[in-house]
Amino acid sequence: MDKFVIEGGAKLHGTIPTSGSKNSALPALAAALLTEDKVVLKRVPRVRDIRTMERLLQDIGSYITVENEQVTLETPRIVSPEAPYELVKTMRASSLVLGPLVARAGRARVSLPGGCAIGARPIDQHLSGLQLLGAQISQEHGYVEAAAPNGLKGTRIVFDRITVTGTEDILMAAVLANGETVIENAAREPEVVDLANLLLKMGAKITGAGTSVIRIEGVAKLHGAEHEIIADRIEAGTYVLAAAITGGDVTITGCVADHLGALTAKLAKAGVRILQPDDTTIHVLPDGAIHAADMSTEEYPGFATDLQAQYMALMTQANGISIVKETIFENRFMHAQELMRMGANIRLDGREAIVAGRSNLSGAGVIASDLRASASLVLAALVAKGETVIDRVYHIDRGYENIEGKLAAVGANIRRVE
Ligand code: EPZ
């Protein structure tokens, strides 16, 4: 298993380019199941979750070619409408094939995801949405089966709680349903908008993506399309925080600055100097001390849960006490224990972490527990005294494209060892 060895203390300096969004590319790949034509996706990050999704789609019946960051998919027919346990247990986003499979093939069999490192994460909202669209849902042997042999029928769906992949799954099911579907309390994340834009290019009729009410007028058939995936706002945000924690001077290019509004506003409160020379660039400048600033995660456009761990790492270096509140997932503080092993002063109280700074962190052996938790350990290691060894970096490989190369290019002392 690979490890990262990081020697702390270097201030980052230079430019970091942003990759395409993993969480946008995953539903976009699944959307290719909705047509027998060719779908060409550009700027698909070469990370492990994407490879897992490609493997799943190949088993289902897609022919896939990958050239650099361009993925071409063609699915003349659905060979096996199934997402097996072996894949779902490694990547919960496998459930994104549920909607497209029921819509195209009238049938899907998908393993139910179990618990995971950041919380229970059920898919009940995906299932009740499909049921309202007319699918028959049954569960047996750890699998959920959805059947709609005569097609889906447009309806009104009000989500009990906001769900990103749930909105995407139902959107993909509804585009081929008969009649109009209205999704209320829909997720407003940029990844949902990106998926809707791809579906529009494929011939779908959708309005309201990016708001909490999405209207879909079903069509009989979708066709092929070419689409470039949006920039990864979480990757970009992670590098903004890496620059801030080291007091570096770093320009993050190729991002959508607008998608990072909650982060940059919070950092301004914490005293981090940030410039936005244009819509796709964020420049972080060194500006003395960082102040403690409370933060609570929210659905978009609020502060992303996927940046909470990295923000907590920054708060260990802020003067004062901050409260970091996690409202989306019930168990997303695994990094706190590891940060404490590095010398951070954090007290956990339910969904709140009380972080007292500024702590002198020191390098230690730590374990990555999930994707974003691992990123926060990398950030902490960049400012820790001495060497940090991060074990199980396969978690980070799920979602960050060449993180060690990108950080080393701006002066971080980081290397991967086997
Ligand atoms: C997406 O997960 C992202 N994954 C996550 O990214 C992200 O943390 C999360 O949205 C929140 O922003 C992808 O896009 C592939 P949810 P998702 O459904 O869709 C509960 C990363 O690090 N819920 O919006 O699975 C759920 O348990 C990750 O890249 C139900 O109760 O998240 C959670 O508490 C990990 N029933 C909350 O809703 C459901 O049917 C939000 O989850 C669905 C969700």
Side-chain angles (χ1 to χ4, degrees):
M1 259 189 280
D2 288 5
K3 296 179 181 170
F4 279 158
V5 179
I6 300 171
E7 180 72 37
K11 282 195 184 349
L12 305 187
H13 193 281
T15 299
I16 306 181
T18 313
S19 295
S21 161
K22 165 189 79 95
N23 286 350
S24 217
L26 287 170
L29 288 163
L33 291 175
L34 289 164
T35 174
E36 54 198 43
D37 295 348
K38 210 178 259 183
V39 174
V40 181
L41 300 174
K42 297 179 173 174
R43 205 181 183 189
V44 178
R46 298 317 297 161
V47 296
R48 209 159 58 98
D49 274 8
I50 296 294
R51 291 195 191 93
T52 307
M53 182 59 96
E54 288 166 356
R55 235 178 44 228
L56 172 59
L57 296 180
Q58 277 166 334
D59 288 351
I60 290 173
S62 304
Y63 294 95
I64 301 182
T65 53
V66 180
E67 208 177 318
N68 299 318
E69 301 202 324
Q70 177 168 311
V71 181
T72 304
L73 305 100
E74 208 170 345
T75 316
R77 78 191 179 87
I78 304 294
V79 178
S80 159
E82 181 164 320
Y85 179 58
E86 290 64 43
L87 287 182
V88 178
K89 76 176 180 205
T90 64
M91 189 184 68
R92 311 173 65 80
S94 309
S95 55
L96 280 167
V97 299
L98 197 50
L101 282 176
V102 183
R104 165 108 182 255
R107 202 164 75 82
R109 185 168 182 268
V110 172
S111 168
L112 279 166
C116 97
I118 62 178
R121 299 185 77 188
I123 57 163
D124 57 297
Q125 298 297 301
H126 305 226
L127 300 181
S128 56
L130 284 173
Q131 215 157 17
L132 287 168
L133 283 164
Q136 278 172 14
I137 306 283
S138 56
Q139 283 183 28
E140 215 175 22
H141 308 303
Y143 278 76
V144 53
E145 287 207 36
N150 302 316
L152 297 169
K153 202 167 168 317
T155 186
R156 174 170 175 245
I157 295 165
V158 185
F159 281 127
D160 285 348
R161 64 175 298 170
I162 298 173
T163 157
V164 179
T165 51
T167 302
E168 293 163 348
D169 224 355
I170 296 305
L171 182 56
M172 289 189 279
V175 286
L176 289 180
N178 191 3
E180 190 190 55
T181 300
V182 182
I183 307 176
E184 291 177 36
N185 204 21
R188 293 179 287 164
E189 268 66 4
E191 294 76 18
V192 173
V193 178
D194 200 31
L195 172 66
N197 285 337
L198 165 64
L199 293 169
L200 285 168
K201 288 179 190 166
M202 293 169 72
K205 292 190 177 152
I206 303 165
T207 55
T211 75
S212 50
V213 182
I214 305 179
R215 288 176 192 278
I216 305 124
E217 184 61 46
V219 296
K221 216 170 154 50
L222 293 182
H223 52 72
E226 213 176 282
H227 181 72
E228 183 173 303
I229 300 296
I230 54 167
D232 195 317
R233 64 194 168 100
I234 306 302
E235 188 207 22
T238 301
Y239 293 130
V240 167
L241 287 159
I245 202 170
T246 65
D249 184 340
V250 178
T251 304
I252 290 96
T253 58
C255 61
V256 182
D258 223 28
H259 292 169
L260 286 151
L263 173 69
T264 49
K266 184 60 69 186
L267 290 182
K269 283 202 179 115
V272 178
R273 214 170 131 218
I274 293 184
L275 301 178
Q276 232 170 269
D278 58 53
D279 294 348
T280 61
T281 311
I282 296 178
H283 186 177
V284 185
L285 293 136
D287 194 26
I290 300 165
H291 323 297
D294 294 349
M295 184 277 280
S296 175
T297 61
E298 305 288 345
E299 290 90 0
Y300 188 83
F303 195 104
T305 171
D306 290 347
L307 287 170
Q308 175 259 108
Q310 302 90 312
Y311 183 78
M312 192 187 293
L314 178 72
M315 284 301 105
T316 68
Q317 299 307 296
N319 290 321
I321 293 175
S322 55
I323 296 174
V324 174
K325 188 167 181 192
E326 174 57 54
T327 69
I328 309 292
F329 293 108
E330 70 267 28
N331 189 24
R332 208 173 196 182
F333 281 149
M334 305 276 276
H335 45 282
Q337 305 293 342
E338 300 301 297
L339 291 172
M340 285 187 244
R341 297 197 59 252
M342 296 175 73
N345 187 348
I346 302 171
R347 188 159 60 81
L348 296 181
D349 183 7
R351 290 201 168 204
E352 291 184 352
I354 298 114
V355 187
R358 173 177 183 261
S359 300
N360 288 319
L361 301 183
S362 62
V366 288
I367 293 181
S369 55
D370 77 74
L371 173 56
R372 310 303 172 186
S374 335
S376 83
L377 298 179
V378 171
L379 265 50
L382 291 176
V383 286
K385 192 161 183 285
E387 190 176 271
T388 298
V389 179
I390 305 179
D391 204 351
R392 299 197 193 159
V393 298
Y394 59 83
H395 283 294
I396 215 163
D397 293 333
R398 292 185 58 175
Y400 287 91
E401 195 172 52
N402 188 22
I403 189 170
E404 70 273 32
K406 288 189 183 189
L407 287 173
V410 292
N413 196 337
I414 174 170
R415 65 195 160 87
R416 180 185 289 261
V417 295
E418 287 193 6

